[in-house]
Short mmCIF file of all heavy atoms in Angstrom, two decimals:
data_model
loop_
_atom_site.label_atom_id
_atom_site.label_comp_id
_atom_site.label_asym_id
_atom_site.label_seq_id
_atom_site.Cartn_x
_atom_site.Cartn_y
_atom_site.Cartn_z
N LEU H 458 6.72 1.98 38.19
CA LEU H 458 8.08 1.51 38.28
C LEU H 458 8.92 1.90 37.07
O LEU H 458 10.16 2.10 37.11
CB LEU H 458 8.11 -0.04 38.50
CG LEU H 458 7.47 -0.54 39.72
CD1 LEU H 458 7.48 -2.04 39.68
CD2 LEU H 458 8.14 -0.03 40.96
N THR H 459 8.25 1.91 35.88
CA THR H 459 9.08 1.97 34.67
C THR H 459 8.62 3.00 33.64
O THR H 459 8.83 2.81 32.35
CB THR H 459 9.10 0.63 33.96
OG1 THR H 459 7.67 0.26 33.65
CG2 THR H 459 9.67 -0.51 34.83
N TYR H 460 7.79 4.12 34.03
CA TYR H 460 7.28 5.05 33.23
C TYR H 460 6.52 4.36 32.17
O TYR H 460 6.53 4.69 30.92
CB TYR H 460 8.39 5.93 32.54
CG TYR H 460 9.42 6.53 33.56
CD1 TYR H 460 10.75 6.12 33.56
CD2 TYR H 460 8.99 7.55 34.43
CE1 TYR H 460 11.62 6.58 34.39
CE2 TYR H 460 9.96 8.05 35.27
CZ TYR H 460 11.32 7.53 35.32
OH TYR H 460 12.22 7.94 36.15
N GLY H 461 5.69 3.28 32.60
CA GLY H 461 4.86 2.68 31.62
C GLY H 461 5.57 1.86 30.52
O GLY H 461 5.20 1.93 29.32
N SER H 462 6.69 1.20 30.88
CA SER H 462 7.57 0.52 29.94
C SER H 462 7.69 -0.96 30.16
O SER H 462 7.60 -1.35 31.52
CB SER H 462 8.88 1.32 29.82
OG SER H 462 8.74 2.72 29.69
N CYS H 463 8.26 -1.73 29.22
CA CYS H 463 8.45 -3.16 29.45
C CYS H 463 9.65 -3.53 28.62
O CYS H 463 10.20 -2.74 27.75
CB CYS H 463 7.25 -3.93 29.25
SG CYS H 463 7.29 -5.70 29.90
N CYS H 464 10.00 -4.79 28.70
CA CYS H 464 11.19 -5.35 27.81
C CYS H 464 10.65 -5.44 26.43
O CYS H 464 9.51 -5.50 26.12
CB CYS H 464 11.56 -6.65 28.38
SG CYS H 464 10.22 -7.86 28.42
N HIS H 465 11.69 -5.46 25.49
CA HIS H 465 11.27 -5.53 24.11
C HIS H 465 11.61 -6.80 23.39
O HIS H 465 11.33 -7.01 22.29
CB HIS H 465 11.95 -4.37 23.33
CG HIS H 465 13.32 -4.57 22.85
ND1 HIS H 465 14.32 -5.20 23.57
CD2 HIS H 465 13.89 -4.43 21.67
CE1 HIS H 465 15.41 -5.25 22.91
NE2 HIS H 465 15.20 -4.86 21.74
N GLY H 466 12.30 -7.74 24.10
CA GLY H 466 12.69 -9.09 23.49
C GLY H 466 13.55 -9.84 24.51
O GLY H 466 13.45 -9.61 25.77
N ALA H 467 14.30 -10.79 24.15
CA ALA H 467 15.01 -11.65 24.94
C ALA H 467 16.33 -10.90 25.39
O ALA H 467 16.74 -11.00 26.56
CB ALA H 467 15.38 -12.89 24.23
N GLY H 468 16.87 -10.18 24.36
CA GLY H 468 18.13 -9.49 24.70
C GLY H 468 19.36 -10.38 24.46
O GLY H 468 19.35 -11.59 24.61
N ARG H 469 20.38 -9.80 23.76
CA ARG H 469 21.47 -10.42 23.33
C ARG H 469 22.34 -10.84 24.54
O ARG H 469 22.39 -10.09 25.61
CB ARG H 469 22.37 -9.78 22.27
CG ARG H 469 21.73 -9.81 20.89
CD ARG H 469 22.72 -9.17 19.93
NE ARG H 469 23.75 -10.11 19.63
CZ ARG H 469 23.78 -11.04 18.57
NH1 ARG H 469 22.67 -11.05 17.77
NH2 ARG H 469 24.68 -11.83 18.41
N VAL H 470 23.03 -12.01 24.45
CA VAL H 470 24.01 -12.36 25.52
C VAL H 470 25.42 -12.73 24.95
O VAL H 470 26.38 -12.63 25.65
CB VAL H 470 23.36 -13.53 26.38
CG1 VAL H 470 23.49 -14.83 25.64
CG2 VAL H 470 24.07 -13.57 27.72
N MET H 471 25.41 -12.92 23.67
CA MET H 471 26.76 -13.26 22.97
C MET H 471 27.00 -12.31 21.89
O MET H 471 26.10 -11.80 21.23
CB MET H 471 26.53 -14.62 22.33
CG MET H 471 27.76 -15.20 21.67
SD MET H 471 27.39 -16.64 20.68
CE MET H 471 27.21 -17.94 21.92
N SER H 472 28.26 -11.88 21.84
CA SER H 472 28.66 -10.92 20.74
C SER H 472 28.41 -11.57 19.41
O SER H 472 28.44 -12.80 19.11
CB SER H 472 30.02 -10.34 21.00
OG SER H 472 30.97 -11.44 20.49
N ARG H 473 28.31 -10.63 18.39
CA ARG H 473 28.18 -11.02 17.10
C ARG H 473 29.37 -11.71 16.62
O ARG H 473 29.27 -12.81 15.72
CB ARG H 473 27.75 -9.86 16.17
CG ARG H 473 26.40 -9.34 16.38
CD ARG H 473 25.96 -8.18 15.56
NE ARG H 473 24.68 -7.74 15.81
CZ ARG H 473 23.60 -8.41 15.33
NH1 ARG H 473 23.76 -9.30 14.40
NH2 ARG H 473 22.33 -7.95 15.66
N SER H 474 30.51 -11.27 16.90
CA SER H 474 31.83 -11.88 16.48
C SER H 474 31.87 -13.30 17.11
O SER H 474 32.28 -14.24 16.36
CB SER H 474 33.00 -11.00 16.86
OG SER H 474 32.99 -10.66 18.19
N GLN H 475 31.57 -13.46 18.26
CA GLN H 475 31.64 -14.83 18.92
C GLN H 475 30.59 -15.73 18.30
O GLN H 475 30.93 -16.95 18.00
CB GLN H 475 31.32 -14.72 20.46
CG GLN H 475 31.62 -16.04 21.18
CD GLN H 475 31.22 -16.00 22.64
OE1 GLN H 475 30.94 -14.97 23.11
NE2 GLN H 475 31.17 -17.17 23.21
N ALA H 476 29.33 -15.15 17.99
CA ALA H 476 28.44 -16.05 17.28
C ALA H 476 29.03 -16.44 15.95
O ALA H 476 28.70 -17.70 15.57
CB ALA H 476 27.06 -15.24 17.16
N LYS H 477 29.52 -15.64 15.27
CA LYS H 477 30.06 -15.98 13.94
C LYS H 477 31.17 -17.08 14.06
O LYS H 477 31.28 -17.87 13.34
CB LYS H 477 30.78 -14.83 13.22
CG LYS H 477 29.69 -14.01 12.52
CD LYS H 477 30.38 -12.89 11.58
CE LYS H 477 31.02 -11.81 12.44
NZ LYS H 477 31.49 -10.63 11.74
N ARG H 478 31.99 -16.91 15.14
CA ARG H 478 33.06 -17.90 15.34
C ARG H 478 32.44 -19.23 15.78
O ARG H 478 33.14 -20.32 15.43
CB ARG H 478 34.00 -17.33 16.38
CG ARG H 478 35.03 -16.36 15.99
CD ARG H 478 36.23 -16.24 16.99
NE ARG H 478 35.70 -15.92 18.31
CZ ARG H 478 35.43 -14.72 18.85
NH1 ARG H 478 35.65 -13.64 18.02
NH2 ARG H 478 35.08 -14.49 20.13
N THR H 479 31.43 -19.30 16.58
CA THR H 479 30.97 -20.53 17.12
C THR H 479 29.79 -21.28 16.50
O THR H 479 29.50 -22.39 16.67
CB THR H 479 30.62 -20.35 18.61
OG1 THR H 479 29.68 -19.25 18.65
CG2 THR H 479 31.78 -20.01 19.49
N VAL H 480 29.15 -20.47 15.55
CA VAL H 480 27.93 -21.00 14.95
C VAL H 480 28.18 -21.01 13.53
O VAL H 480 28.52 -20.00 12.85
CB VAL H 480 26.74 -20.23 15.31
CG1 VAL H 480 25.46 -20.79 14.61
CG2 VAL H 480 26.52 -20.05 16.79
N ARG H 481 27.88 -22.10 12.66
CA ARG H 481 27.90 -22.07 11.31
C ARG H 481 26.44 -21.94 10.79
O ARG H 481 25.58 -22.60 11.21
CB ARG H 481 28.39 -23.42 10.81
CG ARG H 481 29.92 -23.63 10.85
CD ARG H 481 30.26 -24.89 10.26
NE ARG H 481 29.83 -25.06 8.90
CZ ARG H 481 30.52 -24.82 7.73
NH1 ARG H 481 31.83 -24.53 7.90
NH2 ARG H 481 30.06 -24.97 6.63
N GLY H 482 26.28 -20.95 9.88
CA GLY H 482 24.97 -20.48 9.40
C GLY H 482 24.26 -21.73 8.63
O GLY H 482 22.98 -21.99 8.98
N ASP H 483 24.95 -22.48 7.92
CA ASP H 483 24.29 -23.58 7.24
C ASP H 483 23.85 -24.70 8.17
O ASP H 483 22.79 -25.27 8.09
CB ASP H 483 25.19 -24.13 6.21
CG ASP H 483 26.52 -24.51 6.55
OD1 ASP H 483 26.96 -24.32 7.79
OD2 ASP H 483 27.35 -25.14 5.79
#
Side-chain angles (χ1 to χ4, degrees):
Chain H
L458 301 178
T459 61
Y460 312 108
S462 312
C463 193
C464 60
H465 86 311
R469 287 188 72 93
V470 73
M471 182 191 288
S472 75
R473 291 182 177 276
S474 51
Q475 190 186 348
K477 275 188 294 191
R478 282 196 304 274
T479 55
V480 180
R481 281 184 57 98
D483 52 354

